[in-house]
Amino acid sequence: MRLAFVVNNYPPKVGGVETHVHSLVRRLRGLGHDVLVVTLADEPGTTMEDGVEVIRLREHLRVGDVLGFPALGTSRRLARLLREHDVEAVSVHPRFFPMTWIGLRAGRRAGAAVIHTEHGSDHVVSDSALIATASRLVDRTLGRRVLRSADAVLGVSEAVTSFVRRLSGRSAQVFYNAIDPSPRPETGSRYPAVERLVFVGRLVPGKGADLFVDVVAGLSLDRPHLEAVILGDGPERGSIAERIRAAGQQDRIRLRGRVDADEVRRELRGATLVNPTVLAEGFQTTLLEALDVDGRVATFPVPGAALLREQGYPVEIAAEPTAEALLDAVRRVQRADADTPPLRGWFWGDRATEYEEILAHVVQGGSRRG
């Protein structure tokens, strides 16, 4: 099958959506499909990456570190490109990116099926009234149009499909996020004796690095050998560093900044991931990454956490979004039985075959509209 992923961001840009798309693209190529990626970048050009043709169009007027716009007339040029490549299906992600709207229009013009994957479980959460208002306006206009117009809509968790229904009245199929499996270490116990807590995420309001510091400070009162690390960067780094100093935890908490994916998994191995986010998460693959390297998870209620707990994995969910409730969840999960099942069914090899079936159904004329 000939497929095109039309997305705003693609590696080397980093983020949850970028990882999702990149992993799915590679796996579909491995299954024998002809995959094209069209994305935006500072420097335009065409490259072959993992056997996939990646066309980078020039990005204009970038807002923040995630949102950019293509040149005027891109929809028409993209439709011509899709026809030249005989593309049968176009994949777009998620609802509020300009390339999602353009990919939908271009796919329609080229006669291709369009599959939209949604990654957010609610409207964008922001301390800025302007950003919050603007994002809701986009959701209720262009975002709603994408959700209602695509031939199939997928959501990376039940929380996401519920949001799709609320926003557009459209039924969406759950298509869970996934990870690539981690290599197993040659030696070492599943749960090392040294206690270690890990935070992974951008240092922005709502992600919870401040609460992570409070949890570490609370646990350190009776756990003198406790270790902790914060992986991530962002505008709150200075205030988090000051919070660490004020709590007297500067010798215990390492503030490492952004690190690559391999280093994240090394830090997570055998540790407890503490996940205090209150943002509109779709499905955080960090939960899976921690479980895949014999870690444990203490989290606020987020999509996927309850399901993973029901499947028998060491996941504890705080009763409410407070540092005290999260501290209790950390204590519970660290008392849990260490003999838990290895992660199964949550890898991109599993998910790519699901996507392949969805593609076949949609391209052959089936509809998943609700």
Side-chain angles (χ1 to χ4, degrees):
M1 196 175 294
R2 294 183 178 89
L3 319 172
F5 283 72
V6 179
V7 292
N8 256 64
N9 302 312
Y10 192 75
K13 294 177 182 175
V14 296
V17 176
E18 292 86 341
T19 300
H20 178 110
V21 171
H22 184 236
S23 299
L24 185 55
V25 162
R26 288 189 295 112
R27 291 291 183 169
L28 289 170
R29 180 69 184 88
L31 290 173
H33 299 286
D34 185 358
V35 186
L36 169 71
V37 174
V38 182
T39 188
L40 301 180
D42 292 335
E43 296 295 330
T46 300
T47 58
M48 291 298 296
E49 303 172 18
D50 302 312
V52 174
E53 183 178 3
V54 181
I55 299 175
R56 291 181 170 86
L57 308 177
R58 186 176 296 281
E59 184 178 59
H60 301 271
L61 192 64
R62 190 165 179 83
V63 179
D65 60 355
V66 295
L67 184 62
F69 295 83
L72 294 175
T74 296
S75 178
R76 182 182 66 256
R77 292 192 294 272
L78 179 57
R80 184 169 61 248
L81 178 68
L82 297 176
R83 286 193 293 267
E84 291 172 353
H85 281 73
D86 295 322
V87 167
E88 300 167 81
V90 175
S91 178
V92 293
H93 312 239
R95 69 196 182 280
F96 48 75
F97 282 128
M99 289 298 282
T100 297
W101 319 325
I102 289 170
L104 175 69
R105 292 186 61 192
R108 285 279 178 267
R109 289 177 173 176
V114 179
I115 300 175
H116 173 76
T117 303
E118 187 50 55
H119 295 255
S121 59
D122 209 332
H123 300 290
V124 172
V125 176
S126 174
D127 289 340
S128 167
L130 177 61
I131 293 175
T133 300
S135 66
R136 285 176 179 263
L137 177 62
V138 170
D139 280 349
R140 290 168 179 164
T141 53
L142 294 169
R144 185 175 287 163
R145 179 182 176 186
V146 168
L147 295 173
R148 290 176 174 174
S149 301
D151 294 292
V153 178
L154 313 178
V156 297
S157 69
E158 288 86 354
V160 174
T161 59
S162 295
F163 175 62
V164 169
R165 169 69 77 176
R166 295 199 310 272
L167 180 60
S168 67
R170 180 81 183 272
S171 291
Q173 177 183 349
V174 176
F175 181 75
Y176 291 117
N177 228 331
I179 61 172
D180 290 318
S182 298
R184 309 307 300 174
E186 294 182 4
T187 60
S189 62
R190 295 194 66 193
Y191 295 102
V194 176
E195 295 176 337
R196 189 166 71 258
L197 305 184
V198 181
F199 171 90
V200 182
R202 296 188 64 231
L203 304 186
V204 296
K207 268 293 188 181
D210 52 343
L211 294 180
F212 177 79
V213 175
D214 297 344
V215 167
V216 173
L219 279 175
S220 67
L221 297 175
D222 57 3
R223 299 189 184 181
H225 301 295
L226 184 71
E227 299 176 359
V229 61
I230 295 176
L231 306 178
D233 210 342
E236 287 205 322
R237 179 165 183 158
S239 64
I240 296 301
E242 178 55 37
R243 195 180 190 96
I244 292 171
R245 287 191 292 272
Q249 299 297 313
Q250 59 269 37
D251 293 332
R252 190 184 310 277
I253 302 176
R254 291 178 294 146
L255 187 57
R256 290 199 57 191
R258 179 179 290 175
V259 299
D260 64 28
D262 289 340
E263 188 62 20
V264 169
R265 296 200 188 195
R266 279 192 288 270
E267 290 282 9
L268 286 171
R269 185 170 295 283
T272 297
L273 171 69
V274 181
N275 188 49
T277 180
V278 295
L279 300 182
E281 309 287 357
F283 191 117
Q284 296 168 280
T285 55
T286 313
L287 307 183
L288 302 177
E289 290 168 345
L291 297 174
D292 189 41
V293 293
D294 305 326
R296 305 181 181 202
V297 175
T299 182
F300 283 166
V302 294
L307 176 58
L308 290 167
R309 177 175 166 77
E310 289 169 7
Q311 291 180 345
Y313 299 111
V315 176
E316 287 292 340
I317 304 170
E320 57 184 354
T322 64
E324 292 77 11
L326 189 61
L327 179 59
D328 183 59
V330 171
R331 294 186 187 277
R332 292 199 311 271
V333 80
Q334 291 187 333
R335 292 194 300 265
D337 184 3
D339 188 19
T340 56
L343 195 66
R344 288 195 178 96
W346 290 98
F347 300 111
W348 278 114
D350 307 300
R351 214 60 77 236
T353 56
E354 292 179 29
Y355 202 81
E356 190 176 42
E357 294 171 1
I358 294 167
L359 284 167
H361 179 86
V362 176
V363 169
Q364 290 167 9
S367 175
R368 293 173 183 263
R369 292 178 180 276

